[in-house]
Amino acid sequence: GFQHTNNIMAMNSAATNSKPKERSKTSNNDTKKATNGAKSNGKKIEMKTEALTSMSWLQLFIVLLSLIAGIFTPPILSFLNVEETLFSTKLKNDHATKVSSSAKIEKKLPDIPPLPSRVLCNEETLSQFLHKSPVNGLHIVCFDQMEPSSADNEEEDKVRLTLYADAVAEGKEQITISKKDLKWDRLKTTLAVELELEHPGPLQQPWAVFTTKGERIVGVEDVLTTDLSSTKSEMFIAESLLASNTVVLTGGGQWVWPGVKVGFKREVELYSIMPGDVSSHPNTTTIIETLSLSPLVLSVHKFLSDEECGHVRMRSEPSMKYSKVTLKDADIGKEASEWRTSQNTFLRSDGDAVMRDLEYRTASLTRVPRGHQEHLQVLRYGNTEFYSAHHDFFDPAHYRQDKNTLQLIQNGKRNRMATVFWYLSDVEEGGETIFPLHNGLPFPRSFKDCSRGLKVKPEKGKVIIFYSLDAAGHMDEKSLHGACPVKEGIKWAANKWVWNDAVGFL
């Protein structure tokens, strides 16, 4: 618009400036030819008049054209300015929309789960997990990312694995792998070969890796995902192993507290670590003390309050009956009283907040999901009453004629792995829990014999944990245990059997 108007004005100016020159030229010509006669002069005058008339029309046309251009140019410019403003506004709106969309996309990005706490693989840490004698199925693994040897080193990142097979210092072995080999499908093969782990099968549960606090990281048969918000993504598993630095691997796939040595004490968190579940109960801590390594027996003082002990006793008393036993093939037809003279009952936690909380607390203590527990068995032993030494696991070789038991234990792959035994009362004399094969003692001639072995005296509120399966998931014959006769008073107790797999009782 501006260019067009300026051109018109330039043309008008040029035409106006040329007029005096044209007149001057015509006058000179007329003067020179004045002597030619009136007729010739008249013709010249007529030509001049026509030229002037023609010039006037041209000027008028230029003026009109300029006027029209002056009238329409501002609206055109205004329109163009409006178009430019609208276009600019549209760009701004589009940009704002893109920013808003980006923000929405950012908000939709998955939240990456927090990585486990780092536990340095140093002497202090190892002193809480390594033993003087090998522990079947318990392995300690340290992951250390290696620094490049020089600034110009373009070699791919390396990770050093320090392996303590069977949780003994003498089993130490170091290997170096590339960081890309931290992918679980590769790493699990490396671990299985180096630690000689059993392959999962019809009679073997899959092995698993845990943090030093007993939090499960991954199992050999876990199905991983590409979802970055999942703790089962390839990236999260690799980063968790590196972040943890020190991890514990159990061949049986469930957490087993390392005993380390007799008298060893370990502070553990309760409720904040709840395998397979969550609890609204505030976090607390307790102390686990090792009473024996062979079999593995742990003790926890004041695990139950007096009120909780009283609640369990009150609920169970109306339904107490003399105990029965699951008979082996060789004992079919015999009376249960040959082995057991106590009374018992089973309590469900349905609608009972106290009982439900105790189940969660037990799950947190063992680091095994609540769904692996049976209902609580409550026991009462009167004067002289006892329970002969026995195993809590089911040996499939002894139950070939019991199809129900074989189905329950999946022919041996699934079994009771640990017993959490609760003492609900003090006992004036007798009533100890006995482990007759403690520290390699031979089988007793009588399973009623309470003269030798590890004895644990009842103490109200205390619990003990003893493992029927070792860390590899194998039946531990040394877990043979019994209840010595009560000599004075009444013994109240209860137990939670914890399995190596979900059993569907709860």
Side-chain angles (χ1 to χ4, degrees):
F2 283 115
Q3 185 178 358
H4 182 63
T5 304
N6 290 339
N7 288 341
I8 293 175
M9 294 175 65
M11 290 171 59
N12 189 27
S13 175
T16 303
N17 291 338
S18 67
K19 183 177 178 181
K21 294 180 180 180
E22 188 67 26
R23 285 181 178 178
S24 177
K25 182 179 178 181
T26 304
S27 298
N28 291 337
N29 290 337
D30 289 344
T31 303
K32 289 179 182 181
K33 295 180 181 180
T35 57
N36 290 335
K39 186 176 181 179
S40 176
N41 189 41
K43 289 181 179 180
K44 294 293 184 178
I45 293 171
E46 183 178 354
M47 291 173 63
K48 179 180 178 182
T49 302
E50 290 177 356
L52 289 173
T53 302
S54 180
M55 184 65 68
S56 298
W57 281 108
L58 178 61
Q59 289 176 339
L60 180 62
F61 174 75
I62 292 173
V63 170
L64 289 174
L65 188 61
S66 298
L67 179 62
I68 292 171
I71 292 172
F72 285 99
T73 296
I76 291 172
L77 292 176
S78 177
F79 173 76
L80 290 175
N81 286 336
V82 170
E83 284 291 310
E84 182 180 6
T85 301
L86 290 174
F87 181 69
S88 176
T89 302
K90 184 177 183 300
L91 284 178
K92 290 179 180 179
N93 289 338
D94 288 347
H95 177 69
T97 301
K98 289 179 180 179
V99 170
S100 176
S101 299
S102 298
K104 290 179 179 178
I105 291 174
E106 289 177 0
K107 289 180 180 178
K108 291 180 180 178
L109 287 176
D111 294 328
I112 306 300
L115 294 171
S117 301
R118 185 175 181 81
V119 178
L120 295 177
C121 188
N122 54 26
E123 185 176 350
E124 180 182 359
T125 298
L126 293 174
S127 68
Q128 302 177 46
F129 296 93
L130 297 184
H131 301 63
K132 289 185 178 180
S133 300
V135 180
N136 187 37
L138 184 66
H139 313 285
I140 313 302
V141 184
C142 302
F143 292 83
D144 293 292
Q145 187 162 352
M146 302 173 65
E147 296 294 334
S149 57
S150 66
D152 298 329
N153 190 357
E154 296 182 356
E155 188 178 357
E156 60 181 338
D157 292 339
K158 298 287 186 180
V159 177
R160 181 175 61 241
L161 271 61
T162 305
L163 311 169
Y164 295 91
D166 294 328
V168 289
E170 288 74 14
K172 179 179 178 180
E173 178 187 357
Q174 289 188 331
I175 60 174
T176 301
I177 63 174
S178 65
K179 193 172 181 180
K180 65 182 181 181
D181 288 331
L182 277 180
K183 288 186 176 180
W184 186 235
D185 61 339
R186 299 182 184 181
L187 180 61
K188 66 184 181 182
T189 301
T190 300
L191 292 174
V193 171
E194 296 296 331
L195 296 173
E196 300 181 0
L197 301 174
E198 293 184 62
H199 186 75
L203 299 178
Q204 178 64 38
Q205 294 286 346
W207 53 268
V209 181
F210 301 82
T211 69
T212 56
K213 292 184 177 181
E215 302 161 294
R216 193 177 190 277
I217 298 176
V218 65
V220 63
E221 290 192 338
D222 286 6
V223 178
L224 302 188
T225 176
T226 57
D227 181 5
L228 297 181
S229 66
S230 171
T231 57
K232 294 301 180 185
S233 69
E234 282 272 11
M235 183 188 76
F236 183 81
I237 298 302
E239 292 299 327
S240 293
L241 295 172
L242 275 178
S244 298
N245 194 192
T246 310
V247 300
V248 178
L249 188 153
T250 63
Q254 297 299 333
W255 177 258
V256 175
W257 285 110
V260 182
K261 61 183 179 181
V262 175
F264 178 79
K265 294 182 180 181
R266 185 191 307 273
E267 183 178 51
V268 300
E269 299 176 21
L270 297 179
Y271 295 107
S272 62
I273 299 176
M274 188 64 64
D277 217 326
V278 294
S279 173
S280 59
H281 196 288
N283 182 47
T284 61
T285 60
T286 192
I287 302 295
I288 295 178
E289 180 180 358
T290 302
L291 300 182
S292 168
L293 295 176
S294 178
L296 181 57
V297 183
L298 310 171
S299 174
V300 184
H301 289 272
K302 299 298 181 183
F303 184 76
L304 306 167
S305 68
D306 288 349
E307 291 75 17
E308 289 167 337
C309 292
H311 179 81
V312 174
R313 290 169 54 176
M314 178 191 67
R315 271 207 57 193
S316 62
E317 193 160 16
S319 58
M320 297 294 287
K321 295 180 180 179
Y322 278 100
S323 306
K324 297 181 180 180
V325 295
T326 301
L327 296 173
K328 299 179 182 179
D329 293 344
D331 299 323
I332 293 175
K334 296 181 181 179
E335 292 294 329
S337 59
E338 291 191 30
W339 299 274
R340 186 179 191 181
T341 58
S342 61
Q343 297 180 57
N344 78 324
T345 190
F346 287 88
L347 293 184
R348 303 175 66 95
S349 63
D350 302 345
D352 189 326
V354 174
M355 293 292 297
R356 182 63 60 90
D357 180 62
L358 290 175
E359 289 178 346
Y360 280 117
R361 196 184 310 167
T362 299
S364 183
L365 176 66
T366 59
R367 304 301 199 245
V368 179
R370 174 175 167 269
H372 291 218
Q373 299 175 20
E374 292 186 41
H375 295 299
L376 182 69
Q377 178 186 216
V378 184
L379 303 160
R380 183 174 62 191
Y381 293 85
N383 190 34
T384 72
E385 292 182 338
F386 65 93
Y387 193 171
S388 296
H390 59 282
H391 291 109
D392 281 352
F393 61 69
F394 296 97
D395 186 343
H398 296 159
Y399 295 93
R400 293 302 181 193
Q401 299 180 41
D402 188 342
K403 294 182 179 179
N404 291 332
T405 298
L406 289 177
Q407 183 178 4
L408 176 65
I409 65 174
Q410 296 178 344
N411 295 312
K413 181 175 183 177
R414 186 167 66 182
N415 222 321
R416 291 172 175 166
M417 64 164 287
T419 300
V420 183
F421 198 83
W422 308 357
Y423 294 105
L424 304 178
S425 70
D426 295 317
V427 179
E428 287 79 355
E429 186 178 0
E432 300 92 347
T433 304
I434 188 168
F435 297 89
L437 301 183
H438 173 61
N439 280 350
L441 289 171
F443 267 87
R445 292 183 178 181
S446 170
F447 289 134
K448 296 178 182 179
D449 184 6
C450 277
S451 63
R452 61 180 186 177
L454 173 69
K455 292 182 180 181
V456 181
K457 182 176 176 59
E459 180 184 326
K460 188 177 182 180
K462 179 174 75 175
V463 304
I464 60 172
I465 309 170
F466 56 90
Y467 290 87
S468 297
L469 306 183
D470 63 18
H474 301 160
M475 294 179 293
D476 185 1
E477 292 289 342
K478 298 183 295 296
S479 66
L480 186 75
H481 62 283
C484 295
V486 173
K487 295 180 180 179
E488 185 177 349
I490 296 178
K491 173 185 174 181
W492 281 89
N495 64 269
K496 270 289 187 178
W497 282 307
V498 180
W499 289 61
N500 63 351
D501 197 3
V503 283
F505 286 103
L506 303 184

